[in-house]
């Protein structure tokens, strides 16, 4: 199993190009199932999860052609409506084939998903919404089996805000008969990106970017070309790295309008930010100040940035409090940060952090995707050598993180 070895104490200097967003690319790839024509995508990141999704889509009969960051999908010859456990168990986003397959072919059989160990993240909202649209759904032997000759529009109010639930129901509604209203819809930029692609494919969607989406179903969707939005979580992660280590970096190919809350918190920490059209320059030459925050749905503070900010808080001046409201098991990085010398205590869904003067390198273990990123940040800020095990989690969501960080001065190598 690969590991990362980091020698801390190096300031960061230079440019980092931000890749396409994992959380936008995965649902957008599934949209290829909705049409018999070509869907041409650019800015698709090189990630383990993307590879898994393409493999899953290819086994349905979807044609997949990949050239670097470009992917062309064609759904003219789809002949298998089953998403098997072997492929689904490693990745929660696999559930996103359910809506498109059911809407276009009248049937789908999808294994209950796996993925990160950060809480239950149930799929009951997906099932509830599809049932409201007329689907007959049974769960047997670990599979969701859905059938419906043609889905009918419905008014769906999810019990909670769910990103993948909104995406699945949005894709299903695009081909349903009549009008579907999704209330309490997720407003994340990645959901909006999927909606923009669907509109290019001929879908009729009102309310994009709000919590109420109104979809007029159409008989068929056509091909389209689309560039995946840049990854706001990757951008935020590198900004946290410079907050922890000090230095001067410029992020290119990024978006400044979908990171507001994180940028505000970075400024509060003392990071000097200069925003360009699609660039962010971050300068830091002092010890960060502690910041408290509470994770919540977009446009609030993203749960996917919680661990990275906590790594900075660990060495910040002062005490801070972090409350996690999205996932019930998302503090698994805390014991690993404490192994490096952090002083963090947990009480229920709140972590209390007392900033320490220094962290000291040690062997640690990544437990999930964003936890691994927080350990990379902590390792770069620590004195001495940190060895991070189980970095396959990191490869699921970061495109060659160690290569990008090495290029701006970090002492970080992958050990095979």
């Amino acid at each position: 199993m690969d590991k990362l070895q980091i020698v801390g104490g190096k300031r960061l200097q230079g440019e980092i190009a931000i890749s396409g967003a994992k959380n936008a690319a995965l649902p957008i790839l599934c949209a290829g199932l909705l049409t018999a024509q070509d869907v041409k995508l650019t800015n698709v990141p090189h990630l383990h999860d993307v590879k898994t999704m393409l493999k899953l889509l290819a086994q349905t009969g979807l044609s997949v052609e990949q050239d670097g960051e470009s992917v062309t999908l064609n759904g003219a010859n789809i002949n298998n409506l089953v998403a098997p456990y072997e492929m689904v168990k490693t990745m929660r986003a696999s559930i996103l084939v359910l809506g498109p397959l059911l809407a276009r072919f009248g049937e789908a059989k999808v294994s209950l998903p796996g993925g990160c160990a950060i809480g239950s993240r149930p799929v009951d909202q997906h099932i509830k919404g599809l049932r409201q649209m007329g689907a007959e759904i049974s769960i047997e032997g670990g599979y969701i089996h859905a059938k419906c000759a043609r889905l009918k529009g419905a008014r769906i109010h999810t019990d909670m805000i769910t990103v993948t639930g909104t995406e699945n129901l949005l894709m299903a509604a695009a081909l349903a008969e009549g009008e579907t209203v999704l209330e309490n819809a997720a407003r994340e930029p990645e959901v909006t990106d999927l909606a923009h692609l669907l509109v290019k494919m001929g879908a009729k969607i009102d309310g994009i970017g709000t919590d109420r989406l109104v979809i007029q179903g159409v008989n068929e969707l056509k091909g389209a070309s689309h560039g995946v939005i840049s990854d706001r979580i990757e951008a935020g992660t590198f900004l946290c790295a410079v907050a922890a280590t000090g230095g001067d970096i410029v992020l290119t190919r990024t978006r400044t309008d979908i990171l507001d809350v994180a940028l505000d918190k970075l400024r509060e920490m003392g990071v000097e930010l200069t925003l360009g059209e699609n660039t962010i320059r971050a300068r830091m030459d002092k010890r960060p100040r502690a910041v408290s925050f509470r994770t919540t749905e977009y446009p609030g503070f993203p749960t996917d940035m919680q661990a990275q900010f906590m790594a900075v808080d660990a060495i910040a001046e002062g005490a801070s409090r972090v409350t996690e409201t999205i996932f019930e098991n998302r503090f698994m990085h805390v014991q690993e940060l404490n192994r490096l010398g952090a002083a963090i205590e947990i009480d229920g869904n709140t972590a209390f952090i007392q900033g320490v003067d220094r962290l000291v390198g040690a062997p640690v273990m990544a437990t999930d995707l964003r936890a691994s990123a927080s350990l990379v940040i902590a390792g770069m800020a620590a004195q001495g050598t940190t060895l991070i095990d189980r970095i396959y989690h990191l490869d699921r969501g970061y495109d060659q993180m160690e290569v990008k960080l090495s290029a701006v001065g970090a002492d970080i190598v992958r050990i095979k």
Side-chain angles (χ1 to χ4, degrees), residues 1-6 48 364-369 372-373 375-376 387-398 401-402 412-416:
M1 229 184 276
D2 290 8
K3 298 178 180 172
L4 282 183
Q5 178 183 291
I6 302 168
H48 191 70
V364 289
M365 185 177 76
T367 50
D368 63 68
L369 169 54
S372 9
L375 296 177
V376 170
L387 199 61
I388 306 175
D389 203 354
R390 293 199 182 170
I391 58 159
Y392 57 84
H393 288 294
L394 198 69
D395 296 333
R396 287 189 45 225
Y398 289 94
M401 184 191 242
E402 75 281 5
I412 175 170
V413 290
R414 180 178 289 249
I415 298 171
K416 295 278 184 193

Side-chain angles (χ1 to χ4, degrees), residues 95-357:
I95 190 71
L96 288 165
V97 302
L98 178 63
L101 287 175
L102 177 62
R104 185 166 162 223
F105 299 101
E107 190 175 355
K109 189 177 176 185
V110 180
S111 170
L112 288 163
C116 273
I118 57 167
S120 57
R121 307 208 274 189
V123 295
D124 57 337
Q125 299 302 307
H126 306 234
I127 292 167
K128 177 185 152 186
L130 291 170
R131 278 184 174 144
Q132 283 178 255
M133 295 168 80
E136 285 175 35
I137 298 180
S138 59
I139 298 176
E140 291 165 18
Y143 279 81
I144 302 166
H145 198 162
K147 279 186 173 179
C148 187
R150 180 153 190 214
L151 293 171
K152 302 261 191 304
R155 180 176 291 272
I156 300 166
H157 185 104
T158 53
D159 301 334
M160 55 195 275
I161 296 173
T162 156
V163 172
T164 50
T166 300
E167 291 163 344
N168 232 339
L169 297 172
L170 182 59
M171 289 190 278
L175 286 178
E177 186 182 328
E179 179 179 273
T180 300
V181 180
L182 296 181
E183 291 177 326
N184 204 26
R187 297 161 58 188
E188 269 69 5
E190 296 78 16
V191 177
T192 298
D193 202 32
L194 169 66
H196 287 315
L197 166 64
L198 293 174
V199 168
K200 289 178 188 174
M201 292 169 71
K204 295 177 177 168
I205 306 169
D206 285 322
I208 293 174
T210 74
D211 61 1
R212 186 176 186 270
L213 295 169
V214 181
I215 306 105
Q216 308 294 339
V218 296
N219 289 328
E220 62 175 18
L221 292 171
K222 58 183 194 294
S225 298
H226 185 75
V228 176
I229 58 166
S230 86
D231 196 323
R232 64 193 169 106
I233 306 301
E234 186 192 25
T237 300
F238 290 131
L239 293 173
C240 281
V242 83
T245 62
D248 184 350
I249 63 168
V250 176
L251 304 184
T252 61
R253 289 173 48 177
T254 189
R255 289 265 298 266
T256 57
D257 57 334
I258 53 179
L259 263 170
D260 292 353
V261 186
L263 296 180
D264 287 346
K265 286 291 170 190
L266 286 158
R267 287 189 186 99
E268 217 180 296
M269 282 177 154
V271 182
E272 191 186 323
L273 295 172
T274 311
L275 308 186
E277 195 178 327
N278 55 4
T279 62
I280 301 173
R281 182 180 183 185
R283 283 177 283 191
M284 187 67 164
D285 57 7
K286 52 183 173 288
R287 185 179 177 188
R289 289 189 293 271
V291 299
S292 296
F293 58 89
R294 176 188 184 88
T295 66
T296 180
E297 292 85 1
Y298 190 85
F301 191 96
T303 179
D304 278 355
M305 284 303 309
Q306 178 254 103
Q308 299 91 308
F309 269 83
M310 198 185 289
V312 185
D313 270 341
I315 52 154
E317 198 175 324
S320 54
R321 184 161 79 178
V322 172
T323 304
E324 173 60 58
T325 72
I326 309 290
F327 295 127
E328 72 273 17
N329 201 16
R330 204 162 204 179
F331 281 150
M332 292 193 294
H333 46 282
V334 167
Q335 61 186 14
E336 301 301 308
L337 289 172
N338 284 346
R339 281 175 55 79
L340 297 170
I344 307 171
E345 289 181 9
I346 298 170
D347 182 8
N349 68 338
T350 301
F352 297 89
I353 305 123
Q354 179 61 56
V356 297
D357 290 339

